[in-house]
Amino acid sequence: MFKYNSPQLTAVRLQDGFLAPRQHTNGKVTIPAAVQQCRDTGRIDAFRLQWCPGMPRKPHIFWDSDFAKVLEGMALQLMTDPSPELASELDEYVDLVISAQQPDGYLNTYFTQVEPEKRWQRLSSNHELYCAGHLMEAAVAHFQATGQRKFLDCMCRYADYIDTVFGPGPKQKKGYPGHEEIELALCKLYDTTGEKRYLKLAEFFVRTRGQEPNYFQVEEGVAAERLPALQAHRPVAEQHTAEGHAVRAVYLYCAMADLAARTGDAALLTQCEEIWSNITEKRMYLTGGIGSTPIGERFTIDYHLPHDGYAESCASIGLAFFTRRMLNLTGKRQYADVLERILYNGALSGISLIGDRFFYINRLESGIDTWERGETFAKERRPWFSCSCCPTSFCRFMPQLATFCWSCSEQELRLEIPAAGRAAFRNCQVEVQSQYPYNGKFRIIFHGQEQFTFSCRIPGWCPSATISLNGQRQEQEALQQNGYLSWNRLWQEGDELEVALDMPVEFVRADLRVSACRGRVAIRRGPLVYAVEGLDNAADPGALVLDLKSPWQPEPVPGLPEGTLGLRGQGWQECLPQDCGLYFSATPQWKQTSILAVPYSLWQNRGDTRMSVWLRSGNECCPGGII
Amino acid sequence: MFKYNSPQLTAVRLQDGFLAPRQHTNGKVTIPAAVQQCRDTGRIDAFRLQWCPGMPRKPHIFWDSDFAKVLEGMALQLMTDPSPELASELDEYVDLVISAQQPDGYLNTYFTQVEPEKRWQRLSSNHELYCAGHLMEAAVAHFQATGQRKFLDCMCRYADYIDTVFGPGPKQKKGYPGHEEIELALCKLYDTTGEKRYLKLAEFFVRTRGQEPNYFQVEEGVAAERLPALQAHRPVAEQHTAEGHAVRAVYLYCAMADLAARTGDAALLTQCEEIWSNITEKRMYLTGGIGSTPIGERFTIDYHLPHDGYAESCASIGLAFFTRRMLNLTGKRQYADVLERILYNGALSGISLIGDRFFYINRLESGIDTWERGETFAKERRPWFSCSCCPTSFCRFMPQLATFCWSCSEQELRLEIPAAGRAAFRNCQVEVQSQYPYNGKFRIIFHGQEQFTFSCRIPGWCPSATISLNGQRQEQEALQQNGYLSWNRLWQEGDELEVALDMPVEFVRADLRVSACRGRVAIRRGPLVYAVEGLDNAADPGALVLDLKSPWQPEPVPGLPEGTLGLRGQGWQECLPQDCGLYFSATPQWKQTSILAVPYSLWQNRGDTRMSVWLRSGNECCPGGII
């Protein structure tokens, strides 16, 4: 069982200067842009089922998932920013999707039009069940946003049909998706409809995965060495590390967490904890990115975290979903700490401030030494990709930002991330006033009267904090449990909590087994990881060395949103001899220089420039006076 | 025209402690092991043409090239170490290969047995012409070693047949190989037989490559973005940088150099110079390795040289062949400098001292943070690979080592690399006594009497040298021309040159655009690049920081061959706090330690250990006292 729940989208609101504008932009720019791209590329028309061989804009196996994610985003956005225009546009698209359903309940534009004979033929690579899953998630969101059942019922018919095709029965396929997603979608469908068959089908897909005889190997001739990439190298019950394609992996782990919560399977929960720890303690970038190589967009091995690895936007978002589930299951602060890190760094870095450009991969260093491997590796964010999972992931991720800031149970409301905003809990409205993430001081004001436990997270990065309730200094130790301050009381109108989180500039190092980070430090303040961009500085980041002893102070950054604080400190620029060539043995010269760093998630919003998160540092108290 | 020639294999001999034993091992261990592998895997039996569908050991499209390279190696080895057993074994295999030739002259075990209908169908990927090229090179070597024409004539028939299939004629294919090789082989066939058609066919393959309409695109539907990987993205005459698959690329550049020499095409020579400069000044590892990524085993962009890139053994060997041709064409020392670097570092690192284990890729850093991607990326050298081009490349490369040490023309003999050994020139025997590469002092003794110009290279890495002739100190400036000391005189029996090359320990840095090398130095002494192995030191190389101010002294290395000199100096070990986790903000502690480095090409010969060529360094005279 979940210890906590995410709040209803309609019960929370963001009013801060960092996240709220991005969420607003999602409705105004990102979703309309994605809809236009889906229209231009044929992803919408595909649902008219009028494509015939020889025609242009031939449907692709993953097209349905893109449009489904946009629809889910529209529904979620509708809950945060109600709009009649958006509502009617969504309604029109929903009717179009429903119209593509086949008499037997099947709904897939590619296999209905392009390869009808191939239905369910190659689960390991055809994305059929993956598309179904995203359509189901969209249908659930549409029901929650509008109360209309038509899309939900349509997807239940599809799920009912899939339930006849797959299962333990003699005539049923023992297969499971090559790209996980439907498992967690079926759990949502179960939560929404109460239909136990959906939960059982989700469990079937998860538990059958990797069992002997291996379905992908035996039925589809997939080579044994490719199975780990598909999380099908062994039964899920025997998986304890994060393997293979990062997005597929975290979607599977989301489903495992969902099943653990709904079936009370303690062993499955333990596995989720083990896998989450393997990711965050050995295979995650400082920014919350995951996936270290373009070869299979996958996890590799512990401590292999090259700066130009992969860290796909969708993978960070998926890790946020998995981590949110773990936070709900356990209530442990470590999950909120990582959730916050992903949110403020590796996830938002994938989308431009204007909201219509996206990174597919989020490298921690860019420059002419970063090999460009086509659109996926584009130096600057792009409007769309031939495989455009990332832009559409943002459409549905951004409306949920506010829900990551709060957790709730029957008796307790928890403030996980003190972004300015508000939450409705029972008869109370709880308001947060802050300049988070740039300032650690914030006020929590209670409106209404109600008895309940209110808790406030003291982030793992925070060395010390002072708290007062209605002006009374609170003893932290007395209140603190596992990183949360809690008060169980009858809250009164106007009650006010004041919290001041100490938010020093930190210089972060990595385990020496991370080759790329040896002799380098990253700059962090509060939840924000900082990056040095060439355009703010005298030289490319690669030529700069930080002086850790100099004072590093927040300062506004020209060209970034009002309120954005960079960090300025001192350092040196390495100057090489003229025409020294590729390799040389002369000693470089050093020039004192001032260095400005900006929040990583906001980099590359002022034109193409070189960037580095991990920088060399000097002035260490060690024999050579070096790092 | 070539300004210089490589000496005949039979005119030179190695007697040093570094290269000679490796060449000897090739005959005693490497070739027999490769023959056994070819037998076990079916590469030899394939030539019996008895394979039928359903049988095991189905021939593969590149199998012929592997056995051909072993045969070439046997022939070359026969010239350096005559042996009746080897001769008769070779003779038997040659007869077997000849027996597989078809009535029309065609000779390919895969397309004769497995896909006879596919002959010449998919040049971009079928390796058909590539296999033909290696068979031709083997035939030329066999003729040179034995004087027998049977194999040579067989390959001439094959070349004659290919000449009818490909060419500018109306009924002829306008295609060219996806994997270059036959172009340079045809030049050798032309040199050996004088048949101009072979030179013209080589020229046709080179000049047609990348012309519009693009053969690979139009005839084989290869996607435009794949063309650079095949060096077919534009006409060869318009290629000025090294692109695509590294081995294929350098084989093409070898052929371009061969054509420039035989046709006197100055533009082609200029291109070769531009491409060679692009490689060595922007895309080559310090060790002489090339190819920065496993994705297509290819060149990427300037300054993209990650430590765990690729640097395939075959690519280094191919670059040595290309560089040798450029040295012959121009006589410029820069080519000898790079040739020497490849020879003593990036090439020999690919083969174990025992001679039966091989690296497919030669990384500059290894450790648990280096992601293993299957056999190709094996941490330890392996006996064979499913794609086993590298082991068979050594079979034919090792017998040629002595030829890289000398250049000759009608009037001049040049000592390029002063490895102990001897060369016959006209009526003279020139003997070199040295402990090169570990010692810069060497003596050159002349036997016999002859008037000619003798030249000795002063390596680019050498800051100063002293030379005496028969005890008379020679004025370097007076003698030196472009890095070579020359004497034109009537050499007498017992004439003796004494050369002392200053061979200091150097700390090499890389252009700051090479991200992986920022803040790091590599240790070099003379032609040798050094590496630090974990097993010689107190900590993993990644935790070590070099003290560049401490004296670095040569010392013997336990477990490596007699005479091997490592380099020992001082440094520090970085000690992290206990359980600091993946990322932490505590300051590390430093411990003084002594550090031993060994020649890079000899690493991983004493069991699996972590290794690094580029290490952090301290004690710099810069404001922060850091690098």
Side-chain angles (χ1 to χ4, degrees):
Chain A
M1 280 301 300
F2 283 126
K3 282 204 173 71
Y4 292 89
N5 299 309
S6 305
Q8 293 299 319
L9 211 47
T10 48
V12 290
R13 171 163 295 288
L14 282 168
Q15 292 160 322
D16 69 320
F18 195 96
L19 300 177
R22 312 299 295 272
Q23 192 179 55
H24 182 71
T25 298
N26 187 56
K28 290 277 164 295
V29 179
T30 310
I31 287 176
V35 167
Q36 191 57 49
Q37 289 284 358
C38 285
R39 177 170 288 111
D40 297 346
T41 55
R43 283 164 164 82
I44 296 180
D45 286 344
F47 285 91
R48 306 190 192 288
L49 303 185
Q50 286 162 1
W51 183 88
C52 301
M55 286 186 178
R57 306 197 307 171
K58 176 179 168 187
H60 189 282
I61 50 169
F62 54 57
W63 272 11
D64 292 1
S65 68
D66 289 326
F67 192 48
K69 285 155 71 184
V70 176
L71 294 182
E72 184 185 4
M74 292 170 82
L76 297 174
Q77 194 72 29
L78 205 53
M79 285 190 259
T80 57
D81 303 320
S83 137
E85 299 71 26
L86 181 59
S88 68
E89 186 185 4
L90 174 59
D91 191 60
E92 175 197 324
Y93 295 142
V94 164
D95 289 336
L96 174 62
V97 170
I98 293 171
S99 75
Q101 186 165 41
Q102 301 301 296
D104 58 5
Y106 187 73
L107 207 171
N108 180 297
T109 67
Y110 178 85
F111 288 97
T112 299
Q113 298 173 88
V114 184
E115 294 191 297
E117 73 287 1
K118 292 275 180 70
R119 198 191 277 194
W120 311 129
Q121 287 311 297
R122 200 164 173 86
L123 303 173
S124 59
S125 58
N126 68 7
H127 286 55
E128 214 167 356
L129 291 166
Y130 169 78
C131 289
H134 276 303
L135 284 165
M136 290 171 191
E137 284 201 275
V140 168
H142 176 260
F143 170 71
Q144 291 168 343
T146 65
Q148 294 178 37
R149 296 196 60 91
K150 59 183 178 184
F151 195 6
L152 183 66
D153 292 341
C154 165
M155 282 302 122
C156 287
R157 284 194 297 277
Y158 193 6
D160 295 338
Y161 161 67
I162 292 172
D163 189 43
T164 64
V165 177
F166 296 90
K171 290 207 175 59
Q172 292 180 294
K173 285 185 183 287
K174 307 289 171 290
Y176 38 87
H179 194 314
E180 300 89 331
E181 156 63 21
I182 192 171
E183 302 91 331
L184 67 91
L186 284 165
C187 291
K188 279 190 180 179
L189 212 54
Y190 160 71
D191 293 344
T192 314
T193 64
E195 177 52 71
K196 286 204 166 44
R197 279 186 299 105
Y198 301 151
L199 182 63
K200 282 193 59 175
L201 183 56
E203 195 164 5
F204 169 80
F205 282 137
V206 171
R207 307 258 187 214
T208 312
R209 190 170 208 89
Q211 295 284 358
E212 289 300 330
N214 188 288
Y215 188 87
F216 290 155
Q217 259 187 301
V218 176
E219 299 296 317
E220 308 188 354
V222 174
E225 57 269 27
R226 268 208 67 236
L227 295 177
L230 298 161
Q231 298 81 40
H233 51 301
R234 61 174 67 112
V236 166
E238 295 166 25
Q239 296 188 28
H240 305 279
T241 55
E243 302 300 337
H245 189 277
V247 178
R248 301 177 192 219
V250 288
Y251 280 16
L252 170 63
Y253 308 147
C254 284
M256 288 165 67
D258 285 341
L259 290 175
R262 288 159 183 77
T263 65
D265 184 329
L268 200 54
L269 174 56
T270 304
Q271 273 184 278
C272 290
E273 292 174 319
E274 290 169 343
I275 291 171
W276 187 87
S277 297
N278 174 245
I279 294 173
T280 56
E281 293 166 20
K282 292 176 177 159
R283 303 184 177 193
M284 183 179 78
Y285 286 96
L286 179 63
T287 52
I290 50 172
S292 301
T293 176
I295 303 172
E297 308 181 313
R298 57 172 294 173
F299 287 106
T300 56
I301 57 168
D302 295 346
Y303 306 108
H304 177 248
L305 295 161
H307 301 316
D308 63 346
Y310 211 63
E312 181 180 345
S313 297
C314 290
S316 291
I317 290 172
L319 181 59
F321 290 148
F322 174 39
T323 303
R324 170 82 240 197
R325 284 164 166 82
M326 294 307 292
L327 175 59
N328 289 351
L329 270 163
T330 65
K332 290 187 183 157
R333 185 185 67 176
Q334 61 184 7
Y335 298 106
D337 287 341
V338 169
L339 190 57
E340 179 182 66
R341 177 183 297 191
I342 299 167
L343 202 61
Y344 281 101
N345 302 287
L348 285 190
S349 64
I351 181 170
S352 67
L353 281 164
I354 292 166
D356 60 351
R357 295 280 188 281
F358 310 89
F359 276 137
Y360 194 109
I361 74 139
N362 297 272
R363 57 171 68 96
L364 272 69
E365 180 172 281
S366 91
I368 65 167
D369 57 354
T370 311
W371 180 39
E372 300 305 326
R373 277 157 280 198
E375 63 172 21
T376 306
F377 277 74
K379 266 185 185 167
E380 296 194 73
R381 295 182 183 86
R382 293 209 173 183
W384 196 252
F385 304 88
S386 51
C387 171
S388 215
C389 48
C390 297
T392 54
S393 287
F394 281 102
C395 294
R396 72 196 196 109
F397 177 68
M398 302 303 273
Q400 303 180 56
L401 295 182
T403 66
F404 293 122
C405 299
W406 305 85
S407 297
C408 44
S409 68
E410 196 60 35
Q411 280 301 325
E412 181 183 357
L413 176 67
R414 266 185 166 188
L415 177 61
E416 302 287 358
I417 300 172
R422 52 201 305 130
F425 186 71
R426 310 225 308 242
N427 295 321
C428 248
Q429 279 279 338
V430 182
E431 181 187 359
V432 178
Q433 295 178 355
S434 78
Q435 281 94 46
Y436 204 75
Y438 294 116
N439 190 318
K441 284 201 183 68
F442 56 94
R443 299 164 65 218
I444 303 159
I445 301 154
F446 296 77
H447 303 283
Q449 190 185 59
E450 181 82 42
Q451 172 87 35
F452 65 92
T453 300
F454 178 81
S455 303
C456 175
R457 166 176 159 265
I458 302 299
W461 52 258
C462 177
S464 70
T466 56
I467 306 94
S468 64
L469 170 56
N470 296 329
Q472 298 271 316
R473 173 70 178 271
Q474 305 286 296
E475 267 328 308
Q476 215 184 118
E477 298 63 28
L479 295 166
Q480 189 157 354
Q481 306 184 349
N482 326 316
Y484 289 88
L485 298 169
S486 293
W487 296 264
N488 183 327
R489 69 196 299 265
L490 178 66
W491 296 97
Q492 307 283 354
E493 175 68 39
D495 275 350
E496 187 172 307
L497 275 166
E498 273 196 14
V499 181
L501 303 175
D502 185 15
M503 197 183 267
V505 173
E506 289 178 286
F507 297 106
V508 180
R509 290 178 172 75
D511 184 298
L512 287 171
R513 285 168 286 193
V514 183
S515 173
C517 297
R518 286 177 201 148
R520 299 201 194 184
V521 299
I523 309 170
R524 186 170 66 185
R525 180 171 178 265
L528 296 176
V529 172
Y530 282 75
V532 171
E533 286 192 275
L535 52 76
D536 291 312
N537 295 282
D540 286 336
L544 298 176
V545 172
L546 307 182
D547 180 351
L548 307 187
K549 291 281 189 302
S550 74
W552 284 77
Q553 302 291 348
E555 82 172 36
V557 183
L560 288 180
E562 179 89 41
T564 300
L565 292 182
L567 294 172
R568 182 174 295 281
Q570 295 302 306
W572 302 274
Q573 175 187 346
E574 183 173 12
C575 308
L576 303 189
Q578 282 290 321
D579 312 319
C580 56
L582 179 54
Y583 303 112
F584 61 96
S585 50
T587 307
Q589 298 302 307
W590 297 88
K591 204 162 73 187
Q592 200 106 24
T593 184
S594 150
I595 297 171
L596 179 65
V598 301
Y600 170 74
S601 70
L602 304 182
W603 89 276
Q604 193 72 301
N605 270 291
R606 295 169 294 164
D608 184 31
T609 181
R610 298 186 200 156
M611 178 280 293
S612 190
V613 168
W614 289 96
L615 296 123
R616 291 184 277 158
S617 79
N619 218 354
E620 285 275 323
C621 48
C622 78
I626 45 96
I627 178 139
Chain B
M1 281 303 299
F2 283 126
K3 282 205 173 71
Y4 292 89
N5 300 310
S6 304
Q8 293 299 319
L9 211 46
T10 48
V12 290
R13 172 161 295 287
L14 282 168
Q15 293 160 322
D16 68 322
F18 196 96
L19 301 177
R22 313 298 296 272
Q23 192 179 54
H24 182 69
T25 298
N26 187 58
K28 290 278 165 290
V29 179
T30 312
I31 287 176
V35 167
Q36 191 57 48
Q37 290 283 359
C38 286
R39 177 169 289 112
D40 297 345
T41 56
R43 282 163 164 85
I44 296 179
D45 286 344
F47 285 91
R48 305 191 193 289
L49 303 186
Q50 286 162 1
W51 183 87
C52 300
M55 286 187 179
R57 307 196 308 171
K58 177 179 166 187
H60 187 282
I61 52 170
F62 53 57
W63 272 11
D64 292 2
S65 67
D66 289 326
F67 192 47
K69 285 154 72 184
V70 176
L71 293 183
E72 183 185 5
M74 291 170 84
L76 297 174
Q77 195 71 29
L78 204 53
M79 285 190 260
T80 58
D81 303 318
S83 137
E85 299 72 23
L86 181 60
S88 68
E89 186 184 5
L90 173 59
D91 191 60
E92 175 196 326
Y93 296 143
V94 163
D95 289 336
L96 174 62
V97 170
I98 294 171
S99 74
Q101 185 164 43
Q102 302 301 296
D104 59 3
Y106 187 73
L107 207 172
N108 180 295
T109 66
Y110 178 86
F111 288 97
T112 299
Q113 299 173 88
V114 184
E115 295 191 297
E117 72 287 359
K118 292 276 179 69
R119 199 190 276 194
W120 311 129
Q121 286 311 297
R122 201 164 171 87
L123 302 175
S124 59
S125 58
N126 68 8
H127 287 54
E128 214 168 355
L129 291 166
Y130 169 78
C131 289
H134 276 303
L135 284 166
M136 291 172 190
E137 283 201 275
V140 168
H142 176 259
F143 171 71
Q144 291 169 341
T146 66
Q148 293 179 37
R149 295 197 60 91
K150 59 184 178 183
F151 195 6
L152 184 65
D153 292 340
C154 165
M155 282 303 123
C156 288
R157 283 194 298 277
Y158 192 5
D160 295 338
Y161 161 68
I162 293 172
D163 189 44
T164 65
V165 176
F166 296 91
K171 291 210 175 56
Q172 291 179 295
K173 286 184 182 288
K174 307 289 171 287
Y176 36 86
H179 194 315
E180 299 89 331
E181 156 64 21
I182 193 171
E183 302 91 331
L184 66 90
L186 284 164
C187 290
K188 278 191 179 177
L189 211 54
Y190 160 73
D191 292 345
T192 314
T193 64
E195 177 50 72
K196 285 203 167 44
R197 279 186 298 106
Y198 301 151
L199 181 63
K200 283 193 59 178
L201 183 56
E203 196 164 6
F204 169 82
F205 282 137
V206 170
R207 306 259 186 213
T208 312
R209 189 169 209 90
Q211 295 285 356
E212 289 300 333
N214 188 286
Y215 187 86
F216 291 156
Q217 259 188 302
V218 175
E219 299 296 316
E220 309 188 354
V222 173
E225 57 269 27
R226 267 209 69 234
L227 295 177
L230 297 162
Q231 299 82 38
H233 51 301
R234 62 173 66 112
V236 165
E238 295 166 24
Q239 297 188 27
H240 304 279
T241 55
E243 302 300 336
H245 189 277
V247 178
R248 301 177 192 218
V250 287
Y251 281 16
L252 170 64
Y253 309 147
C254 284
M256 288 164 67
D258 284 341
L259 290 174
R262 287 159 184 79
T263 66
D265 184 328
L268 200 54
L269 173 56
T270 304
Q271 273 184 278
C272 290
E273 293 174 320
E274 290 169 344
I275 290 171
W276 187 88
S277 298
N278 174 244
I279 293 174
T280 57
E281 292 165 20
K282 291 175 179 161
R283 304 184 176 192
M284 184 179 77
Y285 286 96
L286 180 63
T287 52
I290 50 172
S292 300
T293 176
I295 304 173
E297 308 183 311
R298 58 174 293 174
F299 287 106
T300 56
I301 57 168
D302 295 346
Y303 306 108
H304 176 248
L305 294 161
H307 301 314
D308 63 346
Y310 210 64
E312 182 180 344
S313 297
C314 290
S316 290
I317 290 173
L319 181 58
F321 290 149
F322 175 40
T323 303
R324 170 83 240 195
R325 284 163 166 84
M326 294 307 292
L327 175 60
N328 288 352
L329 270 162
T330 66
K332 292 187 182 158
R333 184 185 68 177
Q334 61 184 15
Y335 297 106
D337 286 342
V338 168
L339 189 57
E340 179 183 65
R341 176 182 298 191
I342 299 168
L343 202 61
Y344 281 101
N345 301 288
L348 285 191
S349 63
I351 180 170
S352 67
L353 281 164
I354 292 167
D356 60 351
R357 295 281 187 282
F358 310 88
F359 276 138
Y360 193 109
I361 74 140
N362 298 271
R363 57 171 69 95
L364 271 70
E365 180 172 281
S366 90
I368 65 167
D369 58 354
T370 312
W371 180 38
E372 299 305 326
R373 277 156 281 198
E375 64 172 19
T376 305
F377 276 75
K379 266 186 187 166
E380 295 193 74
R381 295 180 182 87
R382 293 208 173 183
W384 196 251
F385 305 89
S386 51
C387 171
S388 216
C389 48
C390 297
T392 54
S393 286
F394 281 102
C395 294
R396 73 197 195 107
F397 177 68
M398 302 303 272
Q400 304 181 54
L401 295 181
T403 66
F404 294 122
C405 300
W406 303 87
S407 296
C408 46
S409 68
E410 197 60 35
Q411 281 299 326
E412 181 182 358
L413 176 66
R414 268 185 165 190
L415 177 61
E416 302 287 359
I417 300 172
R422 53 202 303 132
F425 186 71
R426 310 222 311 236
N427 295 322
C428 246
Q429 280 279 337
V430 182
E431 181 188 359
V432 178
Q433 296 177 355
S434 78
Q435 281 95 45
Y436 204 76
Y438 295 115
N439 190 318
K441 286 202 183 69
F442 56 94
R443 298 163 67 218
I444 303 160
I445 301 154
F446 295 78
H447 304 283
Q449 189 185 59
E450 182 81 43
Q451 171 89 32
F452 65 94
T453 299
F454 178 81
S455 301
C456 175
R457 165 176 159 265
I458 302 299
W461 53 257
C462 176
S464 71
T466 56
I467 306 95
S468 64
L469 172 55
N470 296 331
Q472 298 272 316
R473 173 71 178 271
Q474 305 287 295
E475 268 326 308
Q476 215 183 119
E477 297 63 29
L479 295 166
Q480 190 157 356
Q481 305 184 350
N482 327 316
Y484 289 88
L485 299 169
S486 292
W487 297 262
N488 183 328
R489 69 197 298 265
L490 177 65
W491 297 96
Q492 308 283 354
E493 175 69 39
D495 275 350
E496 188 173 306
L497 274 166
E498 274 197 14
V499 181
L501 303 175
D502 186 15
M503 196 182 267
V505 174
E506 289 178 286
F507 297 106
V508 180
R509 291 179 171 75
D511 185 299
L512 287 170
R513 285 168 287 192
V514 183
S515 173
C517 296
R518 287 177 201 147
R520 300 201 193 183
V521 299
I523 309 170
R524 186 170 66 186
R525 180 171 178 266
L528 296 176
V529 172
Y530 282 74
V532 171
E533 286 192 276
L535 53 75
D536 291 312
N537 294 281
D540 286 336
L544 298 177
V545 172
L546 307 182
D547 180 351
L548 306 188
K549 292 280 188 303
S550 74
W552 285 77
Q553 301 292 350
E555 81 172 38
V557 182
L560 288 180
E562 179 87 42
T564 300
L565 292 182
L567 295 172
R568 183 174 294 282
Q570 296 302 307
W572 302 276
Q573 175 187 347
E574 183 173 12
C575 307
L576 302 189
Q578 282 290 321
D579 312 319
C580 56
L582 179 55
Y583 302 112
F584 61 96
S585 50
T587 306
Q589 299 302 307
W590 297 89
K591 202 161 76 187
Q592 200 106 23
T593 183
S594 149
I595 297 171
L596 179 65
V598 301
Y600 169 75
S601 70
L602 304 182
W603 89 276
Q604 193 73 302
N605 270 292
R606 295 169 294 165
D608 184 31
T609 181
R610 299 184 200 156
M611 177 279 293
S612 191
V613 168
W614 289 95
L615 296 122
R616 292 183 278 158
S617 79
N619 218 355
E620 285 275 321
C621 48
C622 77
I626 45 97
I627 181 145

